[in-house]
Amino acid sequence: MHAHHALEKLIAGNQRYTTDRLSHYHQSGSRMRAISAAQHPFAIVLGCADSRVPPEIIFDLGLGDLFVIRVAGNIVDDAILGSIEYAVEELGTPLVFVLGHERCGAVAATLKHGKILGHISTLIDAIQPAVDRAKTQPGNLLDNAVRANIELVVAQLKSSMPIAKLVKHDRLKVVGGLYNLTCGTIKIIA
Ligand SMILES: [Zn+2]
């Protein structure tokens, strides 16, 4: 499948979700059995762990459709990058979708900053460059930081050698979208 087609499928599923026409596509025992031998997900979604943004639901998809990675603030680290590189190289998945959302708690925590104990600082360190960029922009700081975080994660993914190679040969697309918590829509921003 080409990346454009994969993106169309995501958008179509999100439209079913936002218009209360959920198909619950691929959520059956027969689908489970049909894909038991191998997976061929058509999109990788790097999304936030936020309980309000579950990819299979907001894209109205099911088993075997999406290769999902969820982490607070939809950040990238080595393990996450390794997971994505595995999916694009070994499974041939043609699309990486970075799914950020409005009023992200991880981004808000980075704005507050201060001294944080434990591993939350790992998230904050990853999101800090987005906050720094947002501080130079007019408008709402949290909104801008959420957007900047999506843009920077997309750029980070594109700088991975295996990903960059596939993008160059038009076999992979990396896009970023912003989820609206109130109406469930997703705006492509990167
Ligand atoms: Zn979040």
Side-chain angles (χ1 to χ4, degrees), residues 44-66:
I44 299 157
V45 178
L46 170 57
C48 185
D50 192 297
S51 61
R52 299 166 293 181
V53 197
E56 279 90 349
I57 295 178
I58 68 169
F59 289 118
D60 187 30
L61 292 165
L63 299 168
D65 293 324
L66 300 178

Side-chain angles (χ1 to χ4, degrees), residues 49-188:
D50 192 297
S51 61
R52 299 166 293 181
V53 197
E56 279 90 349
I57 295 178
I58 68 169
F59 289 118
D60 187 30
L61 292 165
L63 299 168
D65 293 324
L66 300 178
F67 188 94
V68 176
I69 297 148
R70 291 181 71 179
V71 57
N74 40 269
I75 60 154
V76 180
D77 67 9
D78 286 348
I80 292 163
L81 192 53
S83 301
I84 294 173
E85 289 175 1
Y86 165 76
V88 299
E89 292 199 306
E90 300 298 322
L91 306 177
T93 308
L95 177 69
V96 184
F97 196 97
V98 178
L99 177 64
H101 67 97
E102 286 184 311
R103 300 187 291 283
C104 180
V107 177
T110 307
L111 284 173
K112 273 197 238 149
H113 217 313
K115 196 76 202 141
I116 289 176
L117 295 173
H119 291 80
I120 295 176
S121 60
T122 305
L123 300 172
I124 286 174
D125 290 347
I127 298 169
Q128 190 61 47
V131 167
D132 294 342
R133 178 186 282 193
K135 279 180 177 163
T136 67
Q137 299 167 333
N140 182 284
L141 184 57
L142 178 56
D143 286 349
N144 289 339
V146 165
R147 283 171 172 268
N149 186 46
I150 295 166
E151 290 161 4
L152 289 174
V153 168
V154 167
Q156 236 177 309
L157 292 176
K158 283 181 175 170
S159 69
S160 131
M161 190 107 80
I163 292 175
K165 207 168 126 191
L166 290 166
V167 168
K168 194 177 159 208
H169 291 98
D170 197 30
R171 286 174 50 205
L172 178 70
K173 216 171 154 57
V174 184
V175 303
L178 175 64
Y179 181 76
N180 182 312
L181 289 171
T182 314
C183 54
T185 52
I186 295 162
K187 190 174 178 191
I188 307 289

